[in-house]
Amino acid sequence: MSEDPAQPRDGLRDRLTDGLYGLGWGAVKKLPEPVARALFRTIADQTWKRRGKSVLRLESNLARVVPGASPARLAELSRAGMRSYMRYWMESFRLPTWSPARIKASIEVRDAHRLTDGLDAGRGVILALPHLGNWDLAGAWVTTDLKVPFTTVAERLKPETLYDRFVAYREGLGMEVLPHSGGAAFGTLARRLRAGGLVCLVADRDLSASGVEVTFFGDTARMPAGPALLAQQTGALLLPVTLSYDDTPVMKARIHTPVELPESGDRTEKTSSMTQALADAFAVGIADHPEDWHMLQRLWLADLETREDRT
């Protein structure tokens, strides 16, 4: 049997990727904060100037969010978007060293009572977020300031050692992390909610290719059905959350009004309605702060079909 020449290259790339992330978690947190901020802003600007696939995809996505924006405006937004994305990574690499007081001081939560009231009622709560701001910082606020543990799901990454790093990082922040693949996550999440627990899910991009079609910024996208299905099956409160940065070191979070369970319709219809309500809430936060939406992948069905046509 002949050896696949791609395998050694893939293995080298995987080891390099894992090593770079390991270096980030090991070294960046030791830098003086002004140095770390300047370094990651430089990385963002250099990445943006190279105009690679991720930057071009971000710009394409932003063109849907800000219709009618000029090329100059889209370039400005994508540059700010890369800076926001690198701020997320800089904070995440340093987050394990932050004290509870520092975490609390780094986030301002609007309408936090919607979360705490739901937990106090003992019915279980699902927080659903898009890829806005720093969702790990929001999670750390929940576990350290509210002192509430929660369960989340993580996409399996390659190499496996990199996935293990992410799991260890988030578990170190007080989160229970389940793998997205395998199908067992849904049952575990449902059990946590029936026990009155908290589940947090990033829910603006479907990873299963079997999600719910929604209208999102005027076109069709697909988002995961999990949050709506979990709310239906467990009676948990479903709360959309959006995050954003500004010119201060303090991230802003908004907990939106609960997504209600429709009174009529079958399970499919209810799931569709609730997922659309999530998409609408996400769109509000993204439209207000498009530069903080870290969506560097294809999302809308038309874009996914274009990619398939090229293969």
Side-chain angles (χ1 to χ4, degrees):
M1 180 182 295
S2 62
E3 183 178 340
D4 181 356
Q7 288 182 353
R9 292 198 299 270
D10 290 345
L12 177 61
R13 183 172 61 243
D14 287 350
R15 290 194 298 273
L16 179 61
T17 300
D18 181 58
L20 288 173
Y21 278 99
L23 179 64
W25 268 300
V28 174
K29 62 186 178 184
K30 298 178 182 178
L31 293 173
E33 187 153 332
V35 174
R37 288 189 180 278
L39 172 62
F40 276 75
R41 174 162 287 208
T42 299
I43 293 171
D45 289 348
Q46 291 300 317
T47 302
W48 176 79
K49 288 178 181 177
R50 284 199 296 269
R51 309 289 292 162
K53 290 182 179 179
S54 294
V55 173
L56 295 177
R57 174 49 47 193
L58 176 61
E59 254 176 49
S60 177
N61 290 339
L62 289 171
R64 293 179 180 270
V65 174
V66 190
S70 66
R73 174 60 177 154
L74 287 175
E76 177 186 348
L77 279 173
S78 67
R79 182 179 187 182
M82 292 309 299
R83 287 181 172 184
S84 175
Y85 186 48
M86 286 300 118
R87 175 173 171 176
Y88 161 77
W89 280 111
M90 188 275 295
E91 289 179 345
S92 294
F93 286 142
R94 299 173 67 85
L95 196 51
T97 67
W98 286 8
S99 67
R102 171 66 191 275
I103 292 171
K104 181 178 181 179
S106 298
I107 183 170
E108 179 182 300
V109 183
R110 174 180 168 187
D111 293 323
H113 68 91
R114 290 175 174 152
L115 168 58
T116 54
D117 289 350
L119 292 170
D120 290 344
R123 62 180 291 193
V125 176
I126 305 162
L127 297 181
L129 307 86
H131 287 80
L132 269 173
N134 189 336
W135 45 96
D136 286 327
L137 173 56
W141 171 77
V142 169
T143 59
T144 58
D145 191 49
L146 297 186
K147 295 181 172 54
V148 175
F150 68 85
T151 305
T152 189
V153 175
E155 178 184 1
R156 280 205 175 275
L157 303 171
K158 292 184 179 180
E160 190 74 15
T161 51
L162 178 58
Y163 171 78
D164 292 340
R165 285 186 188 275
F166 271 96
V167 170
Y169 156 65
R170 289 181 171 135
E171 287 180 343
L173 298 174
M175 311 175 192
E176 179 187 22
V177 182
L178 307 176
H180 180 270
S181 60
F186 189 91
T188 302
L189 295 173
R191 287 193 294 273
R192 299 291 184 267
L193 291 167
R194 291 192 181 100
L198 176 63
V199 164
C200 299
L201 300 170
V202 179
D204 58 344
R205 178 170 170 255
D206 179 53
L207 298 175
S208 66
S210 60
V212 178
E213 291 189 4
V214 296
T215 300
F216 195 55
F217 290 103
D219 207 346
T220 304
R222 191 182 289 121
M223 293 188 180
L229 288 172
L230 284 166
Q232 290 178 64
Q233 292 195 15
T234 67
L237 187 68
L238 177 54
L239 294 172
V241 179
T242 55
L243 310 169
S244 63
Y245 291 129
D246 56 20
D247 293 332
T248 74
V250 180
M251 184 177 71
K252 307 303 188 290
R254 177 185 176 188
I255 300 178
H256 295 251
T257 56
V259 172
E260 300 293 341
L261 177 65
E263 295 181 358
S264 61
D266 58 22
R267 186 175 74 166
T268 299
E269 292 168 335
K270 290 178 179 179
T271 300
S272 178
S273 175
M274 296 173 76
T275 306
Q276 183 64 61
L278 278 180
D280 293 343
F282 293 165
V284 170
I286 293 167
D288 286 344
H289 300 276
E291 69 279 3
D292 292 324
W293 189 40
H294 306 150
M295 185 54 66
L296 280 65
Q297 298 85 19
R298 297 173 188 266
L299 180 70
W300 282 271
L301 296 192
D303 295 334
L304 293 170
E305 289 165 359
T306 299
R307 179 180 62 183
E308 290 169 358
D309 290 342
R310 291 175 179 174
T311 59

